[in-house]
Amino acid sequence: MALTAGIVAIIVIFSLLPMARLLQEVVLPGGSFSLDVIRSGLVSNTTWVATWNTLCVGLGGTLFALVMGVAVAVLVSLSDVRHRQAFVLCFVTPLMIAPQVTALAWLQLFGPSSPMLNMLGMAPPIGTPNPLYSPEGIVLLLGIQYAPLVFLIVRAGLRKLPRELVEAAQSSGAGWFTVLRTVILPLMTPSIVGAAALTFVSCVGNFGIPAFLGIPANYLVLPTLIYQRLAGGGPAVLSEVAFLSVLIGVIAMVGIVLQDRISKRRDFRITSTSLPAAPYQLGAWRVPVELGMWALIAVILVLPLLGLILTSLVRGYGVTLSADTATLENYRFVVFEHAAASRAFLNSLYLSAAAAAFAVFAAIPLAYVIAWGKQRWIKALNLAVELPYALPGVVLAIASLLLFLKPMPITGIQIYNTVWIILYAYLARFLVLAVRPTVTGYFQLDRALEEAAQVAGAGLFTRMRTIIFPLIAPAAIAGGLLIFMTALCELTVSALLWSSGSETIGVVIFSFEQGGDSKYAAAVSAIMVATTFLLMLFASLFAKRLPDGVLPWRD
């Protein structure tokens, strides 16, 4: 009973309550029913322009990510290419890097201030606009950011592809591309459609890339419109931005519903349980294919990061980088001298660690009920846990603002304009990242040990403490590490919730770039990329002790 009460309390506080408060602000502003907020939002031309832009970059980024992610998943999973593990680690890395860092890194490759182009003597004249300041640039970077997400989902589906279906088609004389077109891709339709829906939601809710690339070009999408309205109007415009947040949520949910409808139109179930399909022998094509795959890594990962690092070493705008002009002064400044940057490092570290620790301990009982519970409400519980992460982050940020704008009832505690409201949003948004791998761990755990302890008279909390926690802790901790890495450089939520003294690293990077201090933004970003990569390598050391699929970059 106590376990159920605790789980219900977590779901209500971190999922249902903020969403209910957001809807209340739209349909019950001031406590009475009114459609004025909806009416004023719908008649605004700016709203429709931003909505159209959101749909354009969302669909464009999704299509780009699908093409790249599916192609790479097929090559990695179904061919005999070598060095798969190293390639997967590199290909998935952009997904683990914050979107604003990705945008900043790519911006340093082009334009008149590019250190790399300056070194090569290819930089355009001063005053030339960066070509990435455009809708096409946003689509390009959204596709690169989320192609690894498509890859991970489709690769998981390809692992279940039965060998006999592929071999039957090949024995009938079908070539590899015919097998791919008539057997493999049709069976992968649920995975591809699911990846498309999740990618679309991620693109629609992305703030970092449209902010860095769209705001300078006056190309607004809904998340950046909300940011500008909130920055210019403060709490007075909360009802207006609440409507815009609900509009983003509706667009995201439409994508999810369409995915569900498409998946149900045909039966894609695979009834066989044979070994996975044998790798296709590329023969003479193996080396060219491998070179092409590593060239892709060079384009989407190495070159942008190189541009980022070079920018972090320049002394000033337009200075040609050389052995004589290179400096580490930018790093010294952001780490030791800039008060907001130093404070942001500590804030992000504490917030990420607190969110990860809470999620690890909350995920174990939550996943216990989801994986092993037989009650009818388990499915609803699972959906409630997924809701804050399934919806774009800007929706949760506005909901948190509305929820804590006034002091909390009874206690009178005020967390608005403090670091605690950011922590609340992190706990709500990222909890599911710990629950998912923990549920996977439960599914791979033999329940006989727990049942034996129950027969021996051990209570639930005794079983959780002495049997379940030691066995399931590695999966939960791996989920906590994913939360730590994701929250460490997060921007979408904190950009709307931060205040003086509660800056996060993502906010500092954004502020530096908006203020024209790209060299400082690049220095902070380079530090965070190095930290993320080291955390990924550290987690990989313990991969053998974790359930399959817990670390997305590991087989």
Side-chain angles (χ1 to χ4, degrees):
M1 188 65 182
L3 177 64
T4 302
I7 290 174
V8 170
I10 290 174
I11 297 302
V12 170
I13 293 173
F14 293 108
S15 181
L16 302 182
L17 197 58
M19 296 301 109
R21 181 65 184 89
L22 182 66
L23 293 175
Q24 178 191 0
E25 187 66 24
V26 175
V27 298
L28 296 171
S32 58
F33 179 78
S34 173
L35 297 178
D36 291 343
V37 174
I38 299 176
R39 190 179 298 111
S40 62
L42 291 178
V43 299
S44 171
N45 183 62
T46 306
T47 299
W48 288 109
V49 171
T51 301
W52 174 252
N53 293 343
T54 301
L55 290 173
C56 288
V57 299
L59 292 172
T62 300
L63 181 60
F64 191 179
L66 276 177
V67 172
M68 186 189 303
V70 172
V72 172
V74 169
L75 285 174
V76 169
S77 304
L78 300 180
S79 71
D80 62 341
V81 292
R82 295 165 293 186
H83 310 299
R84 278 189 188 85
Q85 194 60 65
F87 176 83
V88 170
L89 176 65
C90 294
F91 187 74
V92 173
T93 297
L95 182 64
M96 310 308 297
I97 297 174
Q100 69 271 15
V101 175
T102 298
L104 182 63
W106 275 87
L107 285 173
Q108 307 316 310
L109 286 179
F110 304 98
S113 64
S114 169
M116 185 179 297
L117 294 183
N118 273 317
M119 290 173 62
L120 298 174
M122 300 171 58
I126 298 295
T128 303
N130 195 307
L132 289 178
Y133 291 147
S134 63
E136 295 78 15
I138 297 174
V139 168
L140 171 68
L141 295 201
L142 286 176
I144 291 173
Q145 182 79 28
Y146 296 116
L149 180 63
V150 175
F151 164 79
L152 293 171
I153 296 173
V154 175
R155 185 182 63 157
L158 288 171
R159 285 173 172 169
K160 301 175 183 178
L161 186 69
R163 175 178 294 189
E164 64 268 18
L165 293 180
V166 176
E167 292 178 344
Q170 290 174 335
S171 63
S172 301
W176 194 76
F177 285 102
T178 302
V179 174
L180 179 66
R181 179 175 56 84
T182 61
V183 177
I184 297 174
L185 291 182
L187 289 175
M188 290 302 103
T189 298
S191 296
I192 295 173
V193 173
L198 190 56
T199 303
F200 176 73
V201 171
S202 301
C203 289
V204 165
N206 190 289
F207 174 78
I209 291 174
F212 273 66
L213 274 59
I215 290 178
N218 198 29
Y219 187 85
L220 294 180
V221 295
L222 286 172
T224 53
L225 177 62
I226 289 173
Y227 171 78
Q228 289 193 342
R229 292 279 172 84
L230 198 59
V237 298
L238 277 176
S239 294
E240 180 183 350
V241 298
F243 167 75
L244 295 175
S245 300
V246 171
L247 185 57
I248 297 177
V250 169
I251 293 173
M253 293 307 296
V254 167
I256 294 174
V257 170
L258 285 177
Q259 171 257 326
D260 186 61
R261 290 286 182 89
I262 294 172
S263 298
K264 289 180 178 179
R265 291 180 66 180
R266 289 177 57 189
D267 190 352
F268 297 97
R269 287 176 295 179
I270 299 173
T271 57
S272 59
T273 57
S274 67
L275 295 173
Y280 179 77
Q281 303 299 315
L282 294 173
W285 285 97
R286 184 163 73 169
V287 172
V289 168
E290 289 174 345
L291 289 175
M293 292 171 65
W294 286 107
L296 177 65
I297 295 299
V299 171
I300 68 173
L301 181 64
V302 178
L303 285 178
L305 292 185
L306 181 60
L308 186 72
I309 293 171
L310 293 178
T311 301
S312 70
L313 298 175
V314 299
R315 294 182 183 274
Y317 180 84
V319 175
T320 301
L321 188 65
S322 66
D324 296 328
T325 60
T327 178
L328 295 177
E329 176 64 23
N330 300 327
Y331 289 93
R332 188 186 67 80
F333 177 78
V334 298
V335 174
F336 298 110
E337 288 191 12
H338 194 273
S342 303
R343 190 165 55 240
F345 278 114
L346 293 177
N347 286 341
S348 290
L349 181 65
Y350 293 150
L351 287 169
S352 303
F358 172 84
V360 167
F361 287 100
I364 292 177
L366 271 171
Y368 176 90
V369 175
I370 292 173
W372 287 349
K374 294 182 170 60
Q375 296 88 343
R376 293 182 178 179
W377 48 268
I378 297 299
K379 186 174 181 180
L381 170 67
N382 194 25
L383 290 175
V385 173
E386 297 267 357
L387 182 62
Y389 193 75
L391 291 174
V394 67
V395 177
L396 180 64
I398 298 301
S400 301
L401 277 176
L402 292 167
L403 191 61
F404 296 110
L405 187 61
K406 298 178 180 179
M408 288 185 284
I410 302 175
T411 63
I413 297 175
Q414 173 72 275
I415 69 171
Y416 177 71
N417 267 350
T418 70
V419 73
W420 299 108
I421 192 173
I422 301 178
L423 177 60
Y424 169 84
Y426 282 4
L427 295 177
R429 179 153 178 78
F430 299 127
L431 175 61
V432 70
L433 294 183
V435 172
R436 285 174 182 168
T438 309
V439 169
T440 302
Y442 275 111
F443 284 144
Q444 298 181 11
L445 189 66
D446 187 356
R447 199 178 180 184
L449 292 174
E450 195 238 356
E451 291 174 342
Q454 186 177 8
V455 171
L460 175 60
F461 288 99
T462 301
R463 301 197 305 272
M464 295 282 288
R465 177 174 54 86
T466 60
I467 296 176
I468 294 174
F469 184 82
L471 293 175
I472 211 68
I477 292 173
L481 182 61
L482 291 177
I483 291 175
F484 183 84
M485 294 168 61
T486 304
L488 191 60
C489 208
E490 189 277 337
L491 177 62
T492 303
V493 172
S494 53
L496 300 176
L497 299 179
W498 76 279
S499 58
S500 180
S502 63
E503 302 92 343
T504 64
I505 294 175
V507 170
V508 167
I509 294 173
F510 181 56
S511 299
F512 274 140
E513 179 64 15
Q514 290 293 99
D517 293 319
S518 295
K519 59 182 183 178
Y520 297 140
V524 177
S525 299
I527 293 172
M528 300 319 300
V529 169
T531 302
T532 299
F533 200 72
L534 288 175
L535 288 172
M536 292 173 67
L537 293 178
F538 174 77
S540 298
L541 296 177
F542 302 93
K544 293 182 179 180
R545 300 181 58 185
L546 300 174
D548 295 336
V550 168
L551 298 180
W553 58 86
R554 292 283 303 185
D555 284 323

